[in-house]
Amino acid sequence: MVYFKHIKVFIIFFLSIAYCYGQSTDCTLDIGGETANPVVEIFQLNDVQKQKLEELRAKYSLSSKSIDDEIAKLLAEHPQSTPEELLTLAKKYRVLQLKLMQSSRDIDEELIATFNQRQYDFYLTLCHEAVRKPIVVNPVIYEETLVDEK
């Protein structure tokens, strides 16, 4: 009887861990936010990647500004006097919030796609340590230029 009780506890524990891991969020770099400079240092980005990072930050800034404007307009103009109107507002707001999150994820994916194998492996390690779901891309294979010794 005691043995059966321990199995039930183990199964519940295992299922709760599996559920939590299945619900883990994407492993994003948040390059549109304040954390872009550490990304350069942590992943030791080359000059091409740094340039791409700046382009992506500008692209995200435009995208997020547009969505932020939509949110401001929604909050200012949507009726909010009844519970039904508030529920409708919440649903519309959630759509815009998800749109903003997807935009951020897409920008991060574009940068991660420029990673070489070493950088991508390090990214995967960090994601697994943080129990986050990594963005799957094919790392870039950079051809190394060999200098002939004379």
Side-chain angles (χ1 to χ4, degrees):
M1 210 45 140
V2 173
Y3 180 73
F4 184 69
K5 190 179 207 179
H6 291 287
I7 289 177
K8 285 167 80 175
V9 170
F10 175 76
I11 290 172
I12 291 171
F13 176 76
F14 179 76
L15 289 176
S16 64
I17 295 294
Y19 177 78
C20 290
Y21 188 76
Q23 296 296 317
S24 67
T25 57
D26 285 339
C27 187
T28 59
L29 302 176
D30 189 31
I31 63 171
E34 301 288 325
T35 60
N37 291 335
V39 169
V40 172
E41 295 169 17
I42 290 168
F43 293 101
Q44 299 175 357
L45 300 183
N46 62 33
D47 291 337
V48 173
Q49 291 170 322
K50 289 177 189 174
Q51 182 180 359
K52 182 69 171 179
L53 174 67
E54 291 308 314
E55 291 171 11
L56 292 172
R57 288 190 74 188
K59 181 179 174 182
Y60 178 74
S61 179
L62 291 174
S63 173
S64 67
K65 172 80 170 106
S66 171
I67 297 169
D68 286 342
D69 291 346
E70 287 182 60
I71 289 172
K73 182 179 178 184
L74 175 68
L75 294 175
E77 297 177 359
H78 196 281
Q80 303 174 26
S81 41
T82 67
E84 292 79 22
E85 290 173 342
L86 288 172
L87 284 173
T88 303
L89 172 65
K91 289 177 185 175
K92 290 179 180 180
Y93 179 81
R94 181 66 179 154
V95 168
L96 292 173
Q97 190 180 35
L98 290 172
K99 189 175 173 183
L100 189 61
M101 289 170 36
Q102 185 62 43
S103 175
S104 176
R105 186 195 181 284
D106 291 344
I107 295 295
D108 286 355
E109 184 175 3
E110 283 188 57
L111 180 67
I112 293 168
T114 69
F115 283 6
N116 62 34
Q117 188 65 53
R118 183 182 54 83
Q119 290 168 319
Y120 188 68
D121 289 343
F122 186 58
Y123 165 75
L124 292 176
T125 300
L126 292 176
C127 291
H128 290 295
E129 287 178 7
V131 190
R132 303 279 180 153
K133 185 172 61 173
I135 297 172
V136 179
V137 298
N138 291 323
V140 175
I141 299 174
Y142 292 98
E143 292 187 29
E144 296 183 35
T145 55
L146 299 175
V147 178
D148 293 337
E149 294 181 20
K150 292 183 180 184

